[in-house]
Amino acid sequence: MTAEQRRNLHAFRGYVRKILDPTYILSYMTPWFKDDVVQHIQAEKNNKGPMEAASLFLQILLELQEEGWFRGFLDALHQAGYSGLYEAIESWDFQKIEKLEEYRLLLKRLQPEFKTTINPEDILPEISGCLINQECEEIIQISSNKGLMAGAEKMVECLLRSDKENWPKTLKLALEKEESKFSELWMVEKGTETIQMKDLEDDEMKTLDVQIVYKEEPENQNLSQNSCPSSGVLATYSPLKPRNYQLELASPAQKGKNTIICAPTGCGKTFVSLLICEHHLKKFPQGRKGKVVFFAVQLPVYEQQKSVFSKHFERLGYKVAGISGATADNVSVEQIIENNDIIILTPQILVNSLKNGTVPSLSIFTLMIFDECHNTNKHHPYNMIMFNYLDQKLGGSSDSLPQVIGLTASVGVGDAKNTAEATEYICKLCASLDTSVVTTVRDNLEELEEVVNKPQKFFRKVESRTTDKFKCIISQLMAETEALAKSIFEELGTVTLENLSQIQNRNFGTQKYEQWIIAVQKACMVFQMPDKDEESRICKALFLYTSHLRKYNDALIINEDARVKDALNYLKNFFRNVRAAGFDAIEQDLTQRFEEKLLELEGISMDPSNENPKLEDLSFILQEEYHLNPETRTILFAKTRALLLTIALYFQALKNWIEEHPRLSFLKPGILTGRGRTNQTMGMTLPAQKCALDAFRTNRDSKILIATSVADEGIDIAQCNLVILYEYVGNVIKMIQTRGRGRARGSKCFLLTSNADVIEKEKINICKEKMMNDSISSLQSWNEAEFKEKILQIQSHEKLIRDNQGKVKPVLDKKNKKLLCRKCKTFACYTADIRVVEECHFTVVRDAFRERFVTKLHPRPKNFGSFEKKAKIFCARKDCLHDWGIHVRYKAFEIPVIKIESFVVEDVATGAQTLYAKWKDFNFEKIPFDAAEMYNHAQDLNLQGMDGLE
C-alpha cells in the first residue's frame, strides 16, 4: 500500500460510501479485521444503515498498517461482485460511477411510484446481474416475509447503491418486458452498440434502450403474444401445439441432419426452431449436455428471439442468455457461453471471439441456428463463422462439429438465368452452411395455405408529368453550373471535365448522374499542379460546383416521386445553410443564380397543374381500398438510393403529402427507416423505430406506415392487408419478404411505378421464384450421398481460393505521408503524428494540428464507451470549413478524432495523391495511442474557446 493509494482512497471515499455495504465483504477481510471490529461494523449498519457502516469501515481500513490490505480490499470487492467499484479504484477513474448519479436522483424521486407498481419478484431475474448476490437473496426474503411493497423498497435501496454501469438500461428493459407502466416514467439515456468496431467519427452508434417486437408467427400462433396481454394482467406461459407442417419442417433437423428450412414468412419458423432445440437438448444422456447458439443479424430480432427462447426454455430448467454489441462490453462472452445452455448472439460477437481466442473453437457448441440464413455469403458475419467451421472440417480436426440449421423465407437464386444455374447457386449456399438437406412443406401444403396468406398482386404503370417546368429550370441551372466548372479546365488547357469520368450518357435527375458527380469529385480531389496555391483554388472551386450539382440532382429525384414543393424546400434549406457557412465568391454567384429563379419556382410549386401523376394514382389506390374496407392497414414501401443524402426528407415529403391531402389526412402516416447513415444524414434510432411501429400497431388512428427495406425482414403486423411498392423493387428475396408483410386474409400488393423496367424486373422476380422452387424440388430428389459429395467439392474449391487469397497480404507502407483537406488541399498533418485509439479511432498528437482546425459545439453530444463526443472540427480556412471529424474527451485527454474520408493522402517523396474511404484501406504504419506521450502534449491540445463545452 503506497501513500498515494491511501490518499486516493481517502479522496474518493465519498463514492465508496454511496455504493459499498461493507458487511458483504467483511468475510473476505478476516486477515485484517478482528471479530470485534466486524461486529462493530455490523452493528453500525443495523443501527444507522449501510452508508454509516461504510464510513466506519473506511476509517478503520485507512488506519491499517499491515501489509497487503489494499490488495486484499480490491480482491474482496471483486469476490463480492462490486465490479464497477473494483474497476474504478484500480484505475482511480470514477467517471462511470459519477454518470450514474442522475439515475439515482431520478429513482429516488420515483421511489413512491416504484413501491406501489412494481412486483420485485417479476423483474429480479432480469436485473439480478446489476446487484450483489446477497442483495438478491435479501429482496426475495423481505418480499416473502414483509410483502411485495417492502421488497420493492429494498430493491430501490439496492439499485441506488449499484455500481454497474448498465443498471439503468437493464432496469428499463426489465420493466418493458413485464409491460410495466413504470417504464414510461423511467427515461434512460440512449446507449450504444457496435456489432462491428467502426470509426467513431462515422457516428454510426446505435441505441438499444427499448425493444421493437419483431414477430415471425402468424396471428393465431404468436409466440410473443404473451408480452402484450389485452387485459393488462401479466400473462402466464402456455405451450403451443405444433402444426403438422411445422413438425414436417423440423423432422430432418430432429434426426440430426444439417438442414436449411425454407418456409414462407408468417408460418412460424421460430416455433420450429424451438421444437428442434428442445429435441436436441433432451437427447443427450445423463452426464452430457448440449449447447445451442442462435444467431440473429438485426438487434430487434435478437431481442425478440432472446425473449421467446427464455420464456420457452427457462420453464424447462435450461439457462438462456444473450449477447449483442450493446452488451458485449459489460459481460464476459466466455462465461456467458460456459454457464448457459442456449445463447442468443448477434453473429459479429462470435466472429470477434473466435478471432481473439475468447472462444477457442466452434466445437464448444452442439447446435448452431442461423436466422435469415440466406445472408451466408461473401464477407457477412455468418460466412465468417462458417469459414471457421469449414476450416475445422476440411483440416482433419478430430473435434466434433455442431449441427447446423438455417432458417429463411427464400434461399434466392442470385444472378441465375435458368434452373441449372439456380440449382448451382442453392448448392453453394448449402455448401456455405454445410447442409445436405433443404426442407420445405410438401406433405402438409393445405394446412400451410390455411395459415399463410399470399397477397394478390397488381402492377400499376403511371405516366410521368407531360411537362415538368421545375425540372426544366433546375436543369438549366445545372447546365450553367457545369459550364462554370468546365471554364476552370479551359484555364488549364490540359484536361477537360468530360474525361475525368468514364460515365457517359448521363441525364440530370438520375442516379447515374450522381455517380458521375462523385467520380468527378474524386478526380478533382487528387488533381495536382506545380503551384500549390493555384491547385488549392481550383480544387475548392470544383468541389463547390460539383456539390451544388449534387444538390440539384437530389432535388430532381425528390421531384420525380414527390411534389415540386418538397423538392424546392430541399434546395431552399441547402442555400440557407450555404449562406450561414463560408459563403465565398463562388457560393455567392451560385446562390444568386438560384434566387433569380426562386420566384418562378415558387409559382410552379403552388400550381395544381404540376401535381405528380404518381401521387394522384397513389391517392386513387388508397381512397379506393379504404372505401372498400375502412379498417385497412397499409405499409408503403418507398425506394431508397444508396447514394442519396435525402432519405429522411424524401420520406417526410411523402408523409407531408398524405397529411396535407384533404381525402387522405385521416390515415395519420408514420415513418420507418433504417438506422444506418450517410455522411450527412442520420437514420432512425432504435427507440424511434419502436415508437413508429408501436403507433402503427396499437393506435387505430394510424393506418399507414411509410417504410424502407428495414421492414422487409422480421416485422409482422398481423392486421396489415395492403402493401404498396412505390417505385420499389429488389431481388427475389426482397420480393418474397415485402409480399409477406401483408398477413391478413384478402391482402393486396400494388407495385406503382412510372418505369416499365421496374415492372419487368418484378415479373422476372416472379419467374425467379418459380425457378427457385423448381430447383429446391430438384435438389430434394437427389440421392443424399450424391448431394453431400457435391457440397464437399464446392467446399474444397472455395477453401482453396480462400487460402490463396489469405496468403496475399498488403505491404505495410512505412513512408511518411501528408494529409491534405479534401476540399481546399490545405495541409493538415503527417501520418507520423497520427495515433490509433482503441484499434479503430485516429487522433493527431502534435500541438500544431490544433491551429489547423476550428471547432463548433456538436449538435448531438454523446458518450460512447470511453469517449465523450463534444464538438465538431472543421478546416480552419474561413473559405473552406470542411468537416474533418469530432473532438472528444477520452479518459483524461481532450483529443481530435479525424475521419480519413475528409482528407487526401499525399506521398511526401513523390507528391502522388490518393483517396481512401476507410482507415482500414489505408495501409500505413499505425502507431498505438500512448498515454505517456499524450501527457507531454495535453496542455497544448486544450482547445481555445472550449469553455462552453465543459
Side-chain angles (χ1 to χ4, degrees):
M1 173 65 181
T2 66
E4 182 183 3
Q5 288 172 327
R6 195 184 296 270
R7 284 196 303 272
N8 286 342
L9 185 57
H10 184 269
F12 290 112
R13 67 188 185 282
Y15 291 107
V16 181
R17 289 178 66 249
K18 288 182 178 180
I19 292 169
L20 180 65
D21 183 333
T23 61
Y24 296 154
I25 68 168
L26 287 173
S27 62
Y28 303 105
M29 299 288 292
T30 49
W32 300 278
F33 283 71
K34 296 179 181 178
D35 288 345
D36 60 335
V37 174
V38 171
Q39 292 171 10
H40 186 189
I41 294 171
Q42 184 68 60
E44 191 75 354
K45 176 189 173 180
N46 295 339
N47 296 327
K48 298 181 181 179
M51 191 173 290
E52 292 302 318
S55 295
L56 177 61
F57 171 84
L58 286 169
Q59 178 186 333
I60 297 170
L61 190 70
L62 289 166
E63 291 172 357
L64 290 174
Q65 299 301 319
E66 291 89 344
E67 288 291 324
W69 68 261
F70 182 75
R71 187 70 252 173
F73 172 51
L74 283 178
D75 290 343
L77 291 175
H78 185 68
Q79 291 292 327
Y82 284 105
S83 55
L85 194 56
Y86 171 88
E87 179 185 339
I89 293 176
E90 191 166 56
S91 62
W92 299 117
D93 184 353
F94 285 76
Q95 287 188 55
K96 291 181 180 179
I97 289 176
E98 178 63 31
K99 288 171 184 175
L100 293 172
E101 187 60 26
E102 61 180 296
Y103 302 115
R104 295 192 187 101
L105 294 173
L106 177 60
L107 187 56
K108 283 179 182 178
R109 290 199 298 271
L110 297 176
Q111 185 173 9
E113 182 73 11
F114 189 100
K115 285 165 48 181
T116 56
T117 59
I118 298 301
N119 181 339
E121 293 176 349
D122 287 340
I123 68 169
L124 185 59
E126 301 297 323
I127 68 168
S128 59
C130 301
L131 305 174
I132 305 300
N133 289 338
Q134 287 175 254
E135 290 176 329
C136 296
E137 294 169 5
E138 288 174 14
I139 292 168
I140 294 170
Q141 187 175 0
I142 290 172
S143 298
S144 176
N145 297 338
K146 298 183 180 180
L148 296 177
M149 192 174 294
E153 189 171 16
K154 178 64 178 178
M155 181 175 281
V156 170
E157 177 190 322
C158 296
L159 285 171
L160 290 174
R161 285 201 307 273
S162 176
D163 62 345
K164 308 302 183 292
E165 184 184 13
N166 65 332
W167 77 256
K169 288 188 286 184
T170 303
L171 177 59
K172 177 74 172 178
L173 291 171
L175 294 169
E176 291 192 338
K177 183 176 180 181
E178 295 300 326
E179 296 296 318
S180 170
K181 292 181 179 179
F182 188 84
S183 66
E184 298 173 7
L185 301 174
W186 186 243
M187 305 300 293
V188 301
E189 181 181 355
K190 308 298 181 283
T192 66
E193 69 90 21
T194 48
I195 294 177
Q196 299 186 44
M197 291 296 286
K198 295 177 182 283
D199 294 347
L200 180 66
E201 66 272 16
D202 278 355
D203 202 17
E204 193 168 348
M205 302 294 183
K206 305 177 178 73
T207 59
L208 183 67
D209 299 330
V210 286
Q211 174 182 332
I212 299 178
V213 181
Y214 280 57
K215 307 175 224 174
E216 184 59 43
E217 282 58 50
E219 186 177 10
N220 55 349
Q221 192 188 24
N222 189 345
L223 290 175
S224 62
Q225 193 109 8
N226 290 340
S227 66
C228 301
S230 57
S231 63
V233 180
L234 290 174
T236 57
Y237 184 91
S238 55
L240 297 168
K241 182 180 178 181
R243 295 188 172 91
N244 290 328
Y245 73 78
Q246 291 172 325
L247 293 172
E248 180 185 350
L249 290 171
S251 177
Q254 290 179 334
K255 292 174 183 175
K257 296 179 179 179
N258 287 3
T259 308
I260 291 177
I261 297 172
C262 183
T265 301
C267 72
K269 290 190 290 295
T270 296
F271 186 54
V272 173
S273 68
L274 293 178
L275 297 175
I276 294 168
C277 274
E278 187 172 337
H279 180 274
H280 178 83
L281 291 170
K282 287 181 176 178
K283 76 175 183 180
F284 285 89
Q286 189 90 21
R288 290 186 59 203
K289 292 180 70 176
K291 192 174 291 290
V292 178
V293 59
F294 185 104
F295 299 109
V297 178
Q298 302 290 341
L299 264 170
V301 180
Y302 154 84
E303 282 293 315
Q304 171 64 13
Q305 304 300 54
K306 182 182 166 190
S307 173
V308 169
F309 273 75
S310 296
K311 286 180 180 177
H312 183 85
F313 284 102
E314 286 178 353
R315 67 186 178 89
L316 301 175
Y318 294 105
K319 294 180 181 179
V320 181
I323 314 172
S324 70
T327 59
D329 290 341
N330 303 321
V331 297
S332 165
V333 175
E334 187 177 15
Q335 288 183 10
I336 290 289
I337 292 175
E338 183 179 340
N339 297 333
N340 291 277
D341 304 300
I342 301 170
I343 304 96
I344 316 297
L345 292 179
T346 48
Q348 190 64 38
I349 297 296
L350 186 56
V351 173
N352 295 343
S353 298
L354 288 166
K355 186 177 179 180
N356 62 29
T358 303
V359 175
S361 164
L362 292 175
S363 296
I364 64 173
F365 303 111
T366 57
L367 174 63
M368 299 194 301
I369 302 177
F370 295 82
D371 193 28
E372 306 292 355
C373 70
H374 54 264
N375 290 305
T376 313
N377 55 38
K378 298 180 182 177
H379 296 290
H380 191 278
Y382 279 179
N383 225 17
M384 297 296 105
I385 292 167
M386 288 308 298
F387 285 167
N388 190 289
Y389 175 104
L390 293 170
D391 285 346
Q392 192 171 334
K393 173 188 173 180
L394 300 174
S397 171
S398 59
D399 295 335
S400 60
L401 285 165
Q403 183 183 359
V404 178
I405 305 297
L407 306 174
T408 183
S410 169
V411 293
V413 295
D415 297 324
K417 297 176 179 62
N418 53 54
T419 305
E421 291 179 3
T423 302
E424 187 67 19
Y425 178 88
I426 297 169
C427 283
K428 286 185 177 179
L429 178 64
C430 291
S432 296
L433 286 162
D434 197 37
T435 56
S436 56
V437 177
V438 180
T439 181
T440 57
V441 178
R442 292 189 283 177
D443 299 336
N444 298 279
L445 269 174
E446 285 187 15
E447 183 188 41
L448 176 66
E449 289 167 357
E450 288 176 4
V451 173
V452 179
N453 302 295
K454 188 174 179 179
Q456 188 178 2
K457 192 144 194 175
F458 302 91
F459 298 103
R460 305 275 294 208
K461 170 70 169 62
V462 186
E463 297 303 322
S464 298
R465 296 179 178 95
T466 52
T467 58
D468 194 335
K469 298 176 182 176
F470 178 85
K471 185 174 183 178
C472 289
I473 293 174
I474 298 302
S475 296
Q476 180 187 339
L477 288 168
M478 292 177 78
E480 291 176 7
T481 308
E482 272 196 14
L484 291 168
K486 288 176 182 176
S487 68
I488 296 287
F489 289 100
E490 289 172 4
E491 295 177 27
L492 303 173
T494 55
V495 66
T496 67
L497 184 64
E498 298 301 326
N499 62 22
L500 284 179
S501 168
Q502 299 299 315
I503 299 172
Q504 303 297 323
N505 302 320
R506 62 189 186 275
N507 295 314
F508 295 146
T510 63
Q511 191 164 359
K512 198 170 185 180
Y513 188 84
E514 184 171 15
Q515 291 167 347
W516 175 79
I517 293 171
I518 292 171
V520 169
Q521 278 188 332
K522 286 182 177 179
C524 293
M525 288 168 187
V526 294
F527 181 73
Q528 290 179 273
M529 297 179 64
D531 186 334
K532 292 302 174 183
D533 289 337
E534 186 66 3
E535 177 186 319
S536 175
R537 181 187 72 81
I538 287 174
C539 288
K540 179 173 167 293
L542 291 172
F543 183 93
L544 292 174
Y545 287 136
T546 51
S547 295
H548 280 67
L549 285 170
R550 190 169 183 177
K551 293 298 179 181
Y552 281 135
N553 199 64
D554 286 348
L556 290 180
I557 290 171
I558 295 170
N559 175 64
E560 174 67 23
D561 297 328
R563 299 173 296 180
V564 175
K565 172 183 176 180
D566 303 305
L568 182 57
N569 284 341
Y570 173 69
L571 287 176
K572 287 161 67 175
N573 186 58
F574 166 67
F575 280 102
R576 192 179 303 116
N577 291 335
V578 168
R579 280 186 172 277
F583 206 51
D584 68 2
I586 291 176
E587 290 171 316
Q588 291 173 32
D589 176 50
L590 293 173
T591 302
Q592 182 181 347
R593 290 170 185 269
F594 171 73
E595 289 178 345
E596 286 173 356
K597 300 290 184 181
L598 185 55
L599 192 60
E600 187 178 357
L601 291 169
E602 293 276 16
I604 293 169
S605 71
M606 292 184 285
D607 185 348
S609 67
N610 293 312
E611 181 67 69
N612 193 327
K614 284 192 283 193
L615 292 180
E616 290 177 345
D617 201 60
L618 177 58
S619 171
F620 174 81
I621 293 170
L622 291 171
Q623 289 182 61
E624 183 74 11
E625 294 303 316
Y626 280 91
H627 174 73
L628 294 172
N629 179 8
E631 297 304 312
T632 290
R633 312 280 287 172
T634 305
I635 295 184
L636 172 65
F637 286 100
K639 67 180 176 184
T640 55
R641 299 172 186 265
L643 301 174
L644 184 62
L645 300 179
T646 54
I647 290 172
L649 186 87
Y650 173 63
F651 276 66
Q652 188 63 44
L654 292 175
K655 182 175 185 285
N656 291 345
W657 169 73
I658 293 173
E659 289 175 335
E660 295 170 18
H661 195 293
R663 294 184 180 179
L664 298 178
S665 57
F666 73 95
L667 296 176
K668 294 185 168 37
I671 292 177
L672 181 68
T673 66
R675 293 185 293 130
R677 72 183 291 276
T678 64
N679 284 337
Q680 299 185 19
T681 57
M682 293 294 296
M684 289 182 80
T685 62
L686 200 64
Q689 287 180 329
K690 179 186 184 298
C691 289
L693 279 169
D694 284 350
F696 187 63
R697 281 202 189 95
T698 61
N699 183 358
R700 300 303 300 175
D701 291 336
S702 179
K703 298 178 183 294
I704 185 169
L705 187 66
I706 305 168
T708 64
S709 57
V710 71
D712 282 351
E713 300 180 6
I715 301 176
D716 172 26
I717 303 168
Q719 305 94 333
C720 179
N721 61 310
L722 178 60
V723 176
I724 298 176
L725 309 176
Y726 189 65
E727 295 285 7
Y728 186 94
V729 68
N731 58 23
V732 64
I733 294 173
K734 189 177 289 294
M735 180 193 75
I736 292 169
Q737 288 168 333
T738 53
R739 182 182 67 201
R741 295 311 108 203
R743 303 282 180 89
R745 292 196 179 277
S747 295
K748 296 179 183 178
C749 179
F750 287 88
L751 172 58
L752 193 157
T753 178
S754 60
N755 187 346
D757 290 342
V758 171
I759 292 176
E760 186 62 29
K761 187 174 181 181
E762 192 73 346
K763 288 180 177 178
I764 291 172
N765 282 336
I766 293 171
C767 294
K768 285 190 172 184
E769 182 181 15
K770 183 180 183 305
M771 190 193 303
M772 179 189 77
N773 292 332
D774 290 344
S775 299
I776 291 173
S777 296
S778 172
L779 285 172
Q780 289 171 335
S781 68
W782 285 20
N783 175 278
E784 192 168 336
E786 179 188 356
F787 197 176
K788 285 185 176 180
E789 181 60 29
K790 170 73 172 176
I791 295 305
L792 183 59
Q793 288 175 6
I794 295 172
Q795 290 172 341
S796 300
H797 178 69
E798 293 292 323
K799 179 169 171 34
L800 182 64
I801 294 172
R802 201 161 59 245
D803 289 346
N804 287 333
Q805 288 175 340
K807 291 176 183 176
V808 181
K809 293 185 178 180
V811 178
L812 185 67
D813 188 349
K814 295 187 176 183
K815 295 179 182 177
N816 200 10
K817 302 283 194 298
K818 289 181 182 179
L819 263 62
L820 312 177
C821 175
R822 193 173 281 200
K823 181 177 177 181
C824 71
K825 292 292 191 74
T826 293
F827 171 75
C829 67
Y830 288 103
T831 52
D833 298 333
I834 294 175
R835 299 293 180 269
V836 187
V837 187
E838 295 190 0
E839 296 185 354
C840 62
H841 313 307
F842 293 77
T843 188
V844 182
V845 295
R846 299 300 170 196
D847 57 310
F849 181 64
R850 69 180 178 84
E851 298 173 1
R852 301 186 182 114
F853 67 82
V854 294
T855 64
K856 182 179 179 182
L857 282 171
H858 202 288
R860 293 177 301 277
K862 294 179 184 178
N863 292 343
F864 301 123
S866 304
F867 298 87
E868 180 186 353
K869 184 168 62 176
K870 303 178 76 172
K872 294 282 290 179
I873 64 173
F874 303 90
C875 175
R877 278 187 56 166
K878 292 182 179 179
D879 60 347
C880 179
L881 297 176
H882 189 48
D883 182 359
W884 281 6
I886 58 175
H887 198 271
V888 303
R889 182 191 296 277
Y890 174 66
K891 296 183 177 177
F893 307 104
E894 297 273 358
I895 59 173
V897 175
I898 59 174
K899 48 187 180 182
I900 190 61
E901 62 263 38
S902 294
F903 300 94
V904 175
V905 177
E906 181 177 278
D907 189 291
V908 174
T910 66
Q913 295 183 351
T914 311
L915 299 177
Y916 296 99
K918 296 288 181 183
W919 283 107
K920 66 180 181 181
D921 302 328
F922 184 16
N923 198 37
F924 71 107
E925 186 174 19
K926 299 177 175 72
I927 304 171
F929 178 89
D930 178 39
E933 179 186 21
M934 283 303 297
Y935 272 120
N936 298 329
H937 300 284
Q939 192 63 39
D940 292 331
L941 281 172
N942 284 330
L943 292 177
Q944 295 177 351
M946 290 289 290
D947 297 337
L949 301 179
E950 298 300 328

